[in-house]
Structure formats: structure tokens, C-alpha cells
Amino acid sequence: MNMFLENLRLAFSSLSANKTRAFLTMLGIIIGIASVIAILTVGNSLTMSVSTEMQSMGANNVTIYVDKKDVVQEKRENGIVFGKSEEDHDMTEDDLITDEMIYDMMKAFPDTVEAVSARMQMGAGTVTKATDTVSVNVFGVSRGFFVENKLTFLSGEPFSAAELGGARNVAIVSDKFCRDYFGEDGSSCLGREIDLSVNDMSITCTVVAIYEYQQTMVMLGQNTVTNLYLPITTAQNLNHSKNYADMTVVTKVGVDSNQAAKELKDYLNGFYRSNPYFEIDTYSLASLADSLNEMMGTITTAISVIAGIALLVGGIGVMNIMMVSITERTREIGTRKALGASTTHIRTQFIVEAMIICLVGGAIGVALGLVLGALGAKILGYPASPTVGSVLIALLFSMGIGLFFGYYPANKAAKMNPIDALRYE
Amino acid sequence: MDSRKVVIHLSNIYKRFYIGKPNELEILHGVSLDVYDGEFLAIVGASGSGKTTMMNLIGLLDRPTEGEYIIDGVNVDGASDKELSVIRNRKIGFVFQTYNLVSKTTALKNVELPMLYAEVPRKERTERAKAMLELVGMGDRMKHLPEELSGGQKQRVAIARAMVNEPAIILADEPTGALDSVTGRTVMDLFHKLNKEEGKTIVLITHSPELAEETDRIITLKDGNIIGERAGKGKS
């Protein structure tokens, strides 16, 4: 302990004796460690931003849709093999997902399914008031839709069972629509009747709820068309269709949505076994998030390898300067040996010195990397910091570099012949 | 005289270099010498006489090719490098012509150095180093760096460093060689004082006959042989 503290003191006094040289030597280590830490920070920030984005898009959603079966090959008379072309089989009402299937599925997976969001796209519609018209996108939706999309209700509530079951003429509109249409503050349009035209049909419906319109980046500045929601049953009546081409299942918290996507697909395909052309396919955003994370990991690794090369070069720089330092201090080494220092004493002294150079360089690198990383993360908009573990690993790694590249020069110093060392000019 | 304790016993020492090569060189041709406790001994000789080799052997910086060397009752034949460094640390105090203080290290820390390798606890190290610096008259320069000291002051710090581990002998190689005559005188006076008052055994290696005269006994080396041994004026 005595000796160790003394070695630390020696190392620091040797560093402070040659500040410029020590700094230049450390530079390689500083750059290497700083880039690793900065990249880890930015990487964490990116990963966080991706997963946050995914979460808001619904990482626990499983999208279920009707898809064509793998192309069935058909041998024609002339022997040429054709794939079935798309027009050959249009999706008919019978190929779609029915309410019964959804009901059965919900019964079969009570622990997986939180809500089912079925959606029917009606297309563009207009709401007329005297001479004014306001455009809307019209959708028929189930209750689950509001769970899936996490809409914020300013007033009113999602469609009730009665409204859905009775296929009532009710609508949920955005606050933006209210302002555009009534020129008023949002809540006062609740309960008003509006005349909606969609697909050459007209209905009069009552506004039962108003949701908060979230302006997205893409839409910024444009005069946007907001969504108007009707009960799915009302939409079915208007469209003369009862079934769905796609739906979204919101899985319960803690359910692996990748796994759920597979199970639901297998279950629903039970209904399609006899269907020659169509089947059910599913995907979850979680799987997309996974592959994005994996990609981030690959990029991080690649840049870390480059940083590793910087550290290697830095380490060689440390070794070089240690060789110079040892040559300069040959007489000191000889004196120490004459005074009773063993080879171990001398070796330890110089290894500690090399390790301190690298450790100080590593610490400066960590500080610089944290600053750069924080800046990068700020630009990306997601504050993030590298884990304490990665900072510790960076510091340990830089000490390791000191040990590795300091050993050879230190050993050379330790093996010096004291007579020659004392006589060295 | 023979009743006194023998601190250094050299018996039939040979030292050869480049052994087995065409240019093999024998520097010492069977030298025998006993140094007694409390003695102030001078080894004199012209350059090339084998003085330096002799001092390296006595100081355990080198090993004899042949012959027996016992220092303070320890036979160094067959000692490992590590054991030699321990013996150097405990039994020998070096004083060099060029002081060889460790630069950028205070006088106090320089004197502490041998005790550091002897693993003396920190507090005791500082106390002993201070006491030793007081003894050599450097009590007011303890925090000075070697660069801030004069040649004579540096040599006094070096002497304090040589004595701090209570070695069996102080081995001084041309200690006044780099000093002017006045400063050289003060250093020699210090050696006399340490020899008389502290009972230190001192081996002085020099090419100066005048300095050698001041000691108790003078050994003259020539061409690797001891050609003379006589009492000096210091002998009383």
C-alpha cells in the first residue's frame, strides 16, 4: 500500500513535469474513449427515440389482415407455368374477417387480447352547412379503435355498446373540425347534428364526442382534413358490408406481441383452411422495433471498432512515450537500483505511470464523450446518457491499455544493468 | 585491530569481462581485503587500476567472477538479484560523484527513498529522513528540489540518503570530484564527523592522494592488484 501510493505520487509528479507531452500522449486515448462514450450516448438516444416512437405507434399492437395465399402455380395447356395474377381472384365478402371470427378469437385468447380495433375506411366525406362544406375522412370503427390509437377525448365518450349495437347515426369528430365547422370553441358542438355525405350517401348524425386533434410533423402548415368516426355498424350498413379486411388487436400489458402475432395468425387461419386463395397474416410493431434495435446495435459496434483502432494507436503512443521517458530517466533508474529497488519495484513504478497516463486520458475522454454525446442526443431530441457500466468499462479498458502497452517499456527499465544505468549520460 | 568486527570480507576476488570471447579481460586478479567496523578506508589508484570495478563489487552492483565476498556476515555468493537488491538496500549506502539525486523530488523525499524500498512506514520514514538531514546540516532545505541546491548541498543530501537505512558501510565514489575545493572540504569534514561521532564505516574511492591521506587506512590499487596498504593521518 505504501509502495502503491508512492507509485501513484511518482506517476502524477512525472506527468506534471511534462504536461504538454503527457497531454499529447493522452490525446489518442482521449479521442478513442470520447468517441466510444459519445457513440454509446447517441446510440442510446436513438434507440430510446425509436422505441418511444414505436410505443406511441403501438408496440403492443398486432395488425391482422387478409392476404393472398402463396402464389398457386397452375400448369396451362401449353406447358408454360404462370403465377396466378392478382385480378384472378378479387377479395369477396366471404374472404373477409367476420364478427364471429373476432368474437371467437377474443374468447380463445382472453389473456392476450385487450381490445380489438376493427376499422372500415369509408373514404372522403363532406359535412354541409348551408353553403359551407368541411371535408373529413370517414371511418367506421369499433370501441377497440380508441384503445389502439390512444385518442384524447375533450368531451363525450367512445361509442357505447348501444350506439354500436344499434348502428346509430352518431359521430365522433375532432376539435379542429368543430372550429372549422361551427367557428366555435370545441365543447359547444357536442350534441349538434351534422349532415354528412360520403360515397353518394347522406346521413344526419349527432356529435357524441370530440377528440383532441394531434398535429403531426408531416401535416404541419397544411390545411388538414381530420377524421370523423362512425360506429362500425353504421358504416357496415352504409357500405352494405359486414366484414373486415384488416383489424388491430391491442395485446394486454406484458404480453409478447411477437408471440401473440404468431398465435393469433395460427388461430385465425383455422377459419381459412378451406379458402383456396386467401389467408390471414399478422405483424407486430415489436418485431419492427427489434430489427431497428438490432440495426442500431450493428452501427454502434462498427463505430466502436473504429474507436478501438484509435485506442490501439493511442496505446502505441503511450508505449512510445514511455520508452522515451525511460531512456531519459536511465540514471534515475540506476540510482533507484543502487538504493535497493528491485526489478519488481522499477517495473511496477513504470507500469503504474503508463496506467495513470491512460486512466487520466480515459477520464478526460469520458468527460468529453459525455458532453459530445449529450449534445448529439439533444440534437436528436431524446436526452440519454450511457450507463454507469459503460463508463466504468471505458475507464477499466483505458487502464488495460496502460498495462498492456506499459509493460514492455517498464520491463525494459526493470532489466537495466545498474552499473550502465548509473554511468548513462 | 583484528579483534574488531569485519564488515566487508573480500577473499581472492577475480573479475573478468567478455568471458569466453577473444577479447576476454581480467580486471581484478585475486584481490583480498577486510574492512573493519568503524573504519574510514580509502581505495586509491589511477584510472584503469580497477577502482571502479572494485567499488561495483563491494556495492553489489556487480558480482565477482571468482572469490568470496561476505558483507556484514552475509555471503553474497549465489544470492538472487532480488536478494542482492535487499542487501544493497540494508547494508550499503552509496554516495556518488554526481550526487544522483532523483530530480523533481524534494531533498526530504530523496532521503526517504531507501526507506521506501525497505518498506518503512510513512511516518517513521519522514521522521528519520528529517533527523538525517538535520545531522548533515540540511534541516532548512528539506523541501527544496535538487535543482535548487548547490553541489555541496546536493552531496550532503546524498550522504543523508546513504546513511538513512543504517547501512553496514557507506561507499563513496569520488564524492568531492565534482565540487570546488572549499565545498569539497566541507563534505570531507562531514565524512570525518560521521566516522568519528556516529561510528560509521566509510569506504572512500578516490584518485586523490591528499584526500586518501586523511583516512585511517589507504589501499592502493594498480592494474587490478593491491600493491600497497598503509595507515593514513586520520589514524590516531
Side-chain angles (χ1 to χ4, degrees), chain B residues 134-200:
Chain B
E134 297 280 0
L135 185 71
V136 299
M138 289 293 290
D140 55 343
R141 296 276 195 281
M142 288 196 264
K143 296 285 172 194
H144 285 58
L145 296 175
E147 298 87 296
E148 298 161 352
L149 299 174
S150 73
Q153 289 172 330
K154 278 191 238 191
Q155 200 59 299
R156 277 191 276 165
V157 173
I159 292 167
R161 186 177 68 181
M163 293 197 309
V164 79
N165 260 359
E166 312 260 314
I169 65 156
I170 294 170
L171 197 55
D173 180 19
E174 301 281 9
T176 60
L179 302 172
D180 62 77
S181 57
V182 178
T183 324
R185 187 66 256 152
T186 62
V187 168
M188 280 309 289
D189 288 347
L190 180 58
F191 277 124
H192 284 295
K193 180 184 157 198
L194 295 171
N195 175 245
K196 293 255 158 38
E197 293 173 14
E198 309 285 324
K200 300 287 172 196

Side-chain angles (χ1 to χ4, degrees), chain A residues 12-27:
Chain A
F12 279 111
S13 71
S14 159
L15 284 196
S16 61
N18 274 310
K19 288 190 191 69
T20 316
R21 193 164 87 180
F23 176 73
L24 290 174
T25 309
M26 286 173 192
L27 214 49

Side-chain angles (χ1 to χ4, degrees), chain A residues 186-201:
Chain A
S187 58
S188 59
C189 77
L190 191 71
R192 298 275 193 101
E193 292 202 331
I194 52 174
D195 295 318
L196 172 69
S197 306
V198 60
N199 296 348
D200 302 326
M201 291 169 291

Side-chain angles (χ1 to χ4, degrees), chain A residues 199 260 346 397:
Chain A
N199 296 348
I346 302 288
F397 190 70

Side-chain angles (χ1 to χ4, degrees), chain B residues 6-11 68-77:
Chain B
V6 175
V7 183
I8 299 232
H9 172 71
L10 293 173
S11 174
E68 188 184 49
Y69 177 19
I70 298 170
I71 178 165
D72 204 20
V74 181
N75 192 330
V76 300
D77 188 36

Side-chain angles (χ1 to χ4, degrees), chain A residues 71-84:
Chain A
V71 172
V72 183
Q73 288 181 342
E74 198 178 14
K75 205 168 182 182
R76 298 282 170 92
E77 279 170 27
N78 55 11
I80 299 167
V81 176
F82 286 95
K84 285 217 156 183

